[in-house]
Amino acid sequence: MNQSWDLIVVGAGAAGLMCAGTAASLGLSVVLIDANSRPGRKLMITGKGRCNLTNNCTIDDFLSAVRRNPRFLYSAINALTPQDAMAFFEELGVPLKTERGSRVFPVSDRAIDVVDALVSYMKKSGVRFIHDPVLSIAREENGFSLYTAGGITHKGAMVVIATGGLSYPATGSRGDGYRFAESFGHKLLPQSPSLVPIITQEVWCKELSGLSLKNVTLSVIDTAKGTTVYNELGEMLFTHFGVSGPLVLSASSHMSGELSRYRIMIDLKPGLSNEQLDARLLRDFDAAKNKDFINSLGALLPKTLIPVIVRLSGISPEQKVNLITKTQRAGLLNLLKSLPVIPTAFRPVAEAIVTSGGVDTSQIDPRTMQSKLVPGLYFAGEVLDLDAYTGGFNLQIAFSTGYLAGISAARAQKGS
């Protein structure tokens, strides 16, 4: 059984949905094919199910948040800016709000509202959605043939590969797009996790598993170079293997090579200077001067963190507070302002928010998202060697590259 289309989009994630809907709205016959029965599976879990869909920032600020190949995105981000994306979703009936760090979420805090809006837009534009894994794609004289697991051959004048990377394979991101790209002669850059939790050397992290710290500052020191490669205020989480949470995910993208050369330093009290924190300790100690040291920190630290800090301070838990020396207090202060953690490895790429690496952007026309090697073949989203920090930037990359691929395919079809 054969079916013919102007455009075949492979992958029903953020980039694929945007691309298919855009191209169909411009008059192309479009089919969107995905191995999942429901489009937007990964979108459903972004932002802890709230969907941080973009960042309400300027184009310059956006590009400065892109880690790999930011200049490649200049045309795409100008074609669909963050403000354009916000207007697009609000016109689809999804009211938005901007939170700390210019992160944009639906007012409902429901990722499903974003997915449903995109799916509705796609269907109203005339896109046909087919749930059927694509096995291979072949170039033919008048376009492409796609062969699926269901035994159907789809013919298309043009094809967009928007299959995602390797992160969250349960949502369908299994690296198929890399295989398709290689079959057409495209070069792949090594894939690795980006925005990923970190395994640490410290066993005490496991003791704190589940503890979330808000309004702390996390810094990453490259001990080989003696430089600070990351420093940010926000939220983090201790886990059974080490550390995670927004600050850690962002920090991971600044670390490469042998991770043991880095030191993660956590300032538990960034709102207080050393002098202010010392004064606070003196007040707390004065109020608890007849208590054991371990019972004196309840007003300063989360309950589960106290035994760890006490142990790391080297001060006996039973030592009376009125016997703590100035030197011991200085050591405690230093620990509170720079709690050290040694990273040993990243968690698997399957747990990363995005995949670093992928299709070499030097072989893609940034003005259209079309392959420079194969006319009529386009790429969009995470399958490309593009990734950015947390904060809605990666979804904006998907939307912008998907949109540009869609309008470029429409222009190509009308020009033929």
Side-chain angles (χ1 to χ4, degrees):
M1 179 179 178
N2 295 338
Q3 298 187 41
S4 298
W5 312 87
D6 293 328
L7 179 66
I8 301 174
V9 180
V10 186
L17 285 165
M18 179 64 81
C19 177
T22 299
S25 72
L26 295 173
L28 271 63
S29 62
V30 180
V31 63
L32 176 61
I33 307 177
D34 195 277
N36 290 316
S37 59
R38 182 181 175 90
R41 285 284 301 279
K42 188 176 178 182
L43 262 174
M44 293 284 287
I45 63 174
T46 58
K48 297 180 180 178
R50 297 176 62 216
C51 193
N52 178 193
L53 68 157
T54 188
N55 192 282
N56 190 7
C57 64
T58 66
I59 288 175
D60 286 344
D61 286 343
F62 176 85
L63 293 175
S64 69
V66 179
R67 289 185 61 249
R68 295 175 68 89
N69 304 309
R71 294 176 64 182
F72 174 84
L73 283 168
Y74 186 80
S75 293
I77 195 60
N78 276 281
L80 186 80
T81 68
Q83 290 69 38
D84 292 335
M86 292 172 66
F88 170 80
F89 282 103
E90 293 199 314
E91 287 169 8
L92 292 180
V94 183
L96 303 176
K97 59 183 177 180
T98 301
E99 297 186 357
R100 181 182 59 81
S102 300
R103 292 167 166 83
V104 178
F105 295 88
V107 170
S108 66
D109 286 329
R110 285 161 38 97
I112 193 172
D113 293 344
V114 176
V115 175
D116 286 348
L118 272 174
V119 172
S120 177
Y121 167 69
M122 170 194 77
K123 290 181 176 178
K124 287 179 180 178
S125 298
V127 177
R128 169 86 180 278
F129 175 71
I130 294 177
H131 163 220
D132 195 2
V134 176
L135 300 179
S136 63
I137 307 173
R139 183 81 168 99
E140 298 186 347
E141 185 176 350
N142 295 317
F144 301 84
S145 289
L146 275 73
Y147 304 96
T148 69
I152 299 175
T153 301
H154 295 274
K155 302 285 187 178
M158 295 169 287
V159 168
V160 176
I161 296 175
T163 49
L166 295 172
S167 59
Y168 294 112
T171 66
S173 300
R174 301 181 181 91
D176 291 342
Y178 303 139
R179 177 167 55 85
F180 300 148
E182 278 192 311
S183 72
F184 288 108
H186 274 275
K187 178 183 176 183
L188 298 182
L189 280 301
Q191 297 94 59
S192 61
S194 184
L195 305 180
V196 65
I198 296 173
I199 300 169
T200 63
Q201 179 177 299
E202 288 73 18
V203 295
W204 53 259
C205 286
K206 186 175 182 178
E207 294 178 46
L208 301 176
S209 182
L211 174 63
S212 177
L213 298 179
K214 297 181 179 180
N215 297 317
V216 298
T217 295
L218 187 146
S219 303
V220 176
I221 314 298
D222 184 339
T223 60
K225 298 180 179 178
T227 58
T228 299
V229 298
Y230 178 79
N231 180 266
E232 192 69 50
L233 173 73
E235 182 179 349
M236 64 167 291
L237 174 71
F238 289 102
T239 72
H240 67 282
F241 56 77
V243 289
S244 187
L247 285 177
V248 173
L249 299 180
S250 293
S252 71
S253 63
H254 294 263
M255 303 160 69
S256 60
E258 181 56 52
L259 293 194
S260 62
R261 83 169 195 260
Y262 295 99
R263 293 295 180 273
I264 295 173
M265 309 299 286
I266 305 166
D267 185 346
L268 297 169
K269 297 294 175 182
L272 300 176
S273 66
N274 283 18
E275 293 74 16
Q276 290 170 327
L277 181 55
D278 192 41
R280 167 69 187 274
L281 285 172
L282 284 170
R283 287 197 303 272
D284 287 1
F285 285 176
D286 185 61
K289 56 188 174 185
N290 295 318
K291 291 184 178 181
D292 292 345
F293 174 48
I294 196 166
N295 296 321
S296 68
L297 301 174
L300 190 67
L301 297 172
K303 184 177 180 180
T304 54
L305 184 56
I306 292 173
V308 171
I309 292 296
V310 168
R311 189 163 66 249
L312 295 176
S313 74
I315 303 172
S316 171
E318 292 80 25
Q319 182 169 332
K320 297 300 180 183
V321 170
N322 58 10
L323 296 179
I324 292 176
T325 67
K326 182 177 181 180
T327 299
Q328 287 176 319
R329 193 177 75 247
L332 174 62
L333 187 151
N334 184 63
L335 186 63
L336 295 173
K337 293 294 287 182
S338 54
L339 177 63
V341 178
I342 301 175
T344 58
F346 291 138
R347 291 291 285 179
V349 67
E351 296 181 27
I353 290 181
V354 293
T355 308
S356 180
V359 177
D360 189 347
T361 57
S362 70
Q363 297 178 330
I364 309 297
D365 186 341
R367 299 166 299 177
T368 61
M369 295 295 125
Q370 183 174 210
S371 165
K372 294 178 181 179
L373 309 181
V374 183
L377 179 66
Y378 297 78
F379 292 87
E382 193 180 341
V383 70
L384 291 163
D385 181 26
L386 300 166
D387 65 274
Y389 302 134
T390 57
F393 301 105
N394 288 290
L395 270 182
Q396 181 66 49
I397 290 174
F399 293 139
S400 291
T401 56
Y403 177 82
L404 183 54
I407 62 173
S408 299
R411 289 170 181 164
Q413 193 263 355
K414 290 176 182 179
S416 60

